[in-house]
Amino acid sequence: MTRQKRSDAITKGPSRAAARAMLRATGMSDEDFDKPMVAVINTYSSVTPCNMHLRDLAAPVVEGVREGGGVPVEFGTIVVSDGITMGHEGMRASLMSREVIADSIELAVRGHALDAAVILVGCDKTLPAAAMALSRMDIPGVIFYGGTIAPGCLNDKDVTIQDVFEAVGAHSQGQIGDSELDAVERHACPGAGACGGQFTANTMAMALAFLGLAPLGAGDPPATDEAKAGEAHRCGMLAAKRALEGPDSRHFVTETSLRNAAVSVVASGGSTNAVLHLAAIATEAGVPFSIDIFDELSRIAPVFADMKPGGRYVAVDLYKAGGCRLFGKRLREAGLIVDAPTVSGRTLFEEIDLAEEAPDQKVVRPLDNPLKKTGGLRVLYGQVAPEGAVLKTAGYSDGVFEGTARVFECEEDAFAAVGRGEIKEGHVVVIRYEGPKGGPGMREMLATTAAIAGQGLAGKVALITDGRFSGASHGFVIGHVAPEAALGGPIGLLKDGDRMRIDAEARTIDADIDWDARAKEITPRPPRYMGGAFDKYAALVGSASKGATTTVTEGRS
């Protein structure tokens, strides 16, 4: 044994007889008390395909922990499905769940003085929550991603959940009928696994591998692939090894590794949610981090992954092409990442050296022919967003968008207006009071962006919100506007008909109005009280520009 065990606090000495008695009832022995106790924390649920297979994957994880010399201790925590909650009140619970998951992991581990953790994750918020918890507690740990769903197939074409949301928009305009919408719905999700494009789950799985907290390659096999159980076993063994030998999790979360993770997001055309999540992980680890890094990297990093929503392929295709290691190889060839330690025990570059590129693969583009010459994320400032906002342009214009504001106080009103055909080319749709505090919960706007795309208006209409976007959203979309309307942000002063100018190259978002006069006209909407966890969250949550965490840090406003 090379490390002092935290679990000695419950297993050693005469005073701990009662604790040992209870542990013996679970099957532990004297020999087990000399081994590290490793939490196996599962986000399994039968409510979503993203996580419904994690109960089965826990078994090889547990076996791996035992084989590695640890004692597995299993816990469960929650998941809130973004796809199912999208477009209704339940979406307010999504980002909130990230904090609850991280908190529950912390409580279970600290409450039982456990030595390490391996965390099984699937749907969007479970991934950053796992990294936040490990960074906060600074214990040895491994994050194991349950993998992507296979694409559905309809009329010999791959379909994903993104296609369903966009079909809803097309259906609302009479472009497709009931039977066509029904067919897309029935074929889009064929079984277990997280949503298939480079949406939030797959974006964060890749980012956590480049961050060093998830073993590179372990998350790559799809959820139902026969290789998945072997990767689960490997992660269990690694968790036990880290418990025995270290290092702790903050060893991996550094300014260097956070930059590597951010590069993977930008160069893969990944989800804007990663901006929030990496900022939150950095906050928990106490590492300096600015969301401006995404803007800096978008200027120099091409998009090498030809993946939905801005490209053609899904995560299953990336796995067949060579996986995250191959993608990392391209980033290294471009000089965009630097070597760093990872939880596997090998460095990032040593992991990348294991890459095997499939013949004639087309998913990871060559250096001289990227999908896009610059990254798809911009951080904008200006009159509308003094603390910043995030623009996602992948596949769309990087230039100037000028248009007329159509202002809505919630997503439902905007979605209804799109459905009625009231949103036209040149409109700037403004959805406010959907921020972390004002929502509360910072809902995603996928229902609205998908309806716009389904009407053929993606890139022809801009959408601005103090809420956020799904990784499946695409078009000229701007989220995370800060300060949010509920905190008196300028987005709360906009009116229908205001002329707005978004300059992606200059990184500005402005409106042609007299701001001082407007501030005297507008009375901010009173807070939305929902009771229980929602009000607790609204009282504690910080700005989206800092990751929208509820972690209390010195100087938090």
Side-chain angles (χ1 to χ4, degrees):
M1 190 71 187
T2 58
R3 287 166 57 93
Q4 177 69 37
K5 296 197 287 93
R6 292 172 175 82
S7 58
D8 287 349
I10 61 171
T11 61
K12 301 299 181 185
S15 66
R16 307 315 302 151
R20 288 193 300 275
M22 298 191 75
L23 293 171
R24 290 182 195 282
T26 70
M28 290 192 195
S29 65
D30 290 344
E31 187 178 76
D32 290 331
F33 297 149
D34 292 328
K35 299 175 182 177
M37 295 172 65
V38 178
V40 177
I41 298 173
N42 203 335
T43 59
Y44 158 78
S45 172
S46 62
V47 78
T48 171
C50 307
N51 295 54
M52 71 182 192
H53 60 304
L54 297 183
R55 180 165 59 182
D56 294 332
L57 287 176
V61 170
V62 166
E63 292 171 4
V65 170
R66 287 201 176 99
E67 189 172 329
V71 178
V73 180
E74 295 186 77
F75 293 94
T77 186
I78 67 164
V79 59
V80 173
S81 167
D82 285 45
I84 295 171
T85 62
M86 197 73 67
H88 74 96
E89 285 288 309
M91 174 48 73
R92 301 189 193 284
S94 171
L95 188 60
M96 288 176 54
S97 74
R98 186 189 70 177
E99 311 305 303
V100 172
I101 296 163
D103 289 351
S104 65
I105 292 170
E106 177 191 10
L107 293 175
V109 170
R110 285 186 169 168
H112 299 92
L114 303 179
D115 299 293
V118 55
I119 308 170
L120 289 79
V121 295
C123 194
D124 297 3
K125 304 309 172 292
T126 63
L127 289 98
M132 290 165 65
L134 291 178
S135 299
R136 181 189 302 175
M137 296 184 292
D138 194 25
I139 63 168
V142 174
I143 299 172
F144 175 50
Y145 177 48
T148 185
I149 194 172
C153 184
L154 180 63
N155 299 326
D156 296 323
K157 293 183 179 180
D158 286 351
V159 289
T160 70
I161 193 69
Q162 173 187 341
D163 296 287
V164 183
F165 280 103
E166 292 183 9
V168 171
H171 180 268
S172 72
Q173 294 300 293
Q175 296 171 12
I176 64 173
D178 292 348
S179 61
E180 293 167 285
L181 177 61
D182 182 71
V184 177
E185 172 190 329
R186 292 179 184 277
H187 289 84
C189 299
C195 298
Q198 194 65 347
F199 310 149
T200 302
N202 287 321
T203 296
M204 287 307 301
M206 180 181 284
L208 294 183
F210 282 88
L211 186 66
L213 289 178
L216 205 66
D220 288 359
T224 57
D225 192 277
E226 61 182 12
K228 205 68 192 178
E231 293 294 352
H233 186 270
R234 176 164 78 103
C235 285
M237 290 192 68
L238 279 174
K241 184 177 179 65
R242 296 284 78 84
L244 288 162
E245 301 175 5
D248 295 330
S249 291
R250 288 189 191 176
H251 174 76
F252 304 106
V253 185
T254 64
E255 290 184 76
T256 295
S257 68
L258 284 162
R259 183 183 177 87
N260 285 342
V263 169
S264 77
V265 174
V266 171
S268 67
S271 169
T272 55
N273 280 313
V275 178
L276 277 178
H277 298 328
L278 289 180
I281 293 164
T283 295
E284 298 289 1
V287 177
F289 185 82
S290 169
I291 63 171
D292 289 344
I293 192 173
F294 289 93
D295 192 274
E296 172 196 335
L297 293 171
S298 283
R299 294 174 186 265
I300 62 173
V303 177
F304 290 116
D306 189 355
M307 296 179 68
K308 290 177 179 286
R312 296 175 292 173
Y313 299 104
V314 294
V316 172
D317 300 313
L318 176 62
Y319 171 59
K320 293 175 181 176
C324 285
R325 289 190 178 100
L326 174 61
F327 180 69
K329 180 181 179 182
R330 203 69 82 239
L331 298 183
R332 183 173 66 179
E333 291 169 350
L336 292 170
I337 56 174
V338 298
D339 205 9
T342 77
V343 74
S344 73
R346 292 187 286 261
T347 70
L348 181 62
F349 283 7
E350 287 171 339
E351 288 283 0
I352 288 170
D353 286 338
L354 302 176
E356 296 181 8
E357 184 167 357
D360 301 322
Q361 69 82 23
K362 295 179 173 59
V363 184
V364 181
R365 304 284 284 265
L367 287 182
D368 60 358
N369 186 28
L371 180 68
K372 205 164 171 284
K373 292 182 179 179
T374 58
L377 300 180
R378 306 281 187 271
V379 177
L380 309 183
Y381 292 92
Q383 296 168 330
V384 177
E387 293 180 5
V390 180
L391 166 66
K392 183 174 184 179
T393 66
Y396 296 88
S397 170
D398 292 340
V400 174
F401 190 104
E402 294 186 272
T404 304
R406 288 294 315 276
V407 181
F408 302 94
E409 307 299 314
C410 64
E411 186 197 12
E412 287 86 351
D413 291 349
F415 182 77
V418 175
R420 292 191 298 267
E422 296 175 7
I423 303 304
K424 307 296 184 182
E425 183 173 345
H427 279 158
V428 180
V429 177
V430 178
I431 307 176
R432 62 194 181 196
Y433 291 102
E434 291 285 11
K437 188 176 292 287
M442 202 177 185
R443 290 193 291 180
E444 292 181 348
M445 304 292 122
L446 177 58
T448 302
T449 61
I452 289 171
Q455 294 180 13
L457 293 172
K460 300 174 184 177
V461 167
L463 194 152
I464 299 173
T465 180
D466 50 10
R468 58 196 177 88
F469 295 109
S470 165
S473 292
H474 62 111
F476 212 111
V477 295
I478 301 169
H480 308 194
V481 171
E484 61 177 288
L487 289 175
I491 190 175
L493 302 180
L494 296 172
K495 287 184 175 181
D496 279 348
D498 287 342
R499 290 295 299 171
M500 302 191 66
R501 177 183 171 89
I502 304 158
D503 190 329
E505 183 58 33
R507 278 34 175 195
T508 57
I509 173 172
D510 299 306
D512 185 17
I513 62 175
D514 183 334
W515 290 99
D516 291 336
R518 187 65 61 83
K520 295 175 182 177
E521 298 175 25
I522 302 291
T523 301
R525 195 195 73 186
R528 180 198 306 270
Y529 293 109
M530 298 181 65
F534 294 88
D535 290 352
K536 291 178 187 177
Y537 180 84
L540 289 172
V541 69
S543 171
S545 65
K546 303 295 183 183
T549 74
T550 58
T551 297
V552 178
T553 59
E554 187 176 354
R556 162 67 62 80
S557 60

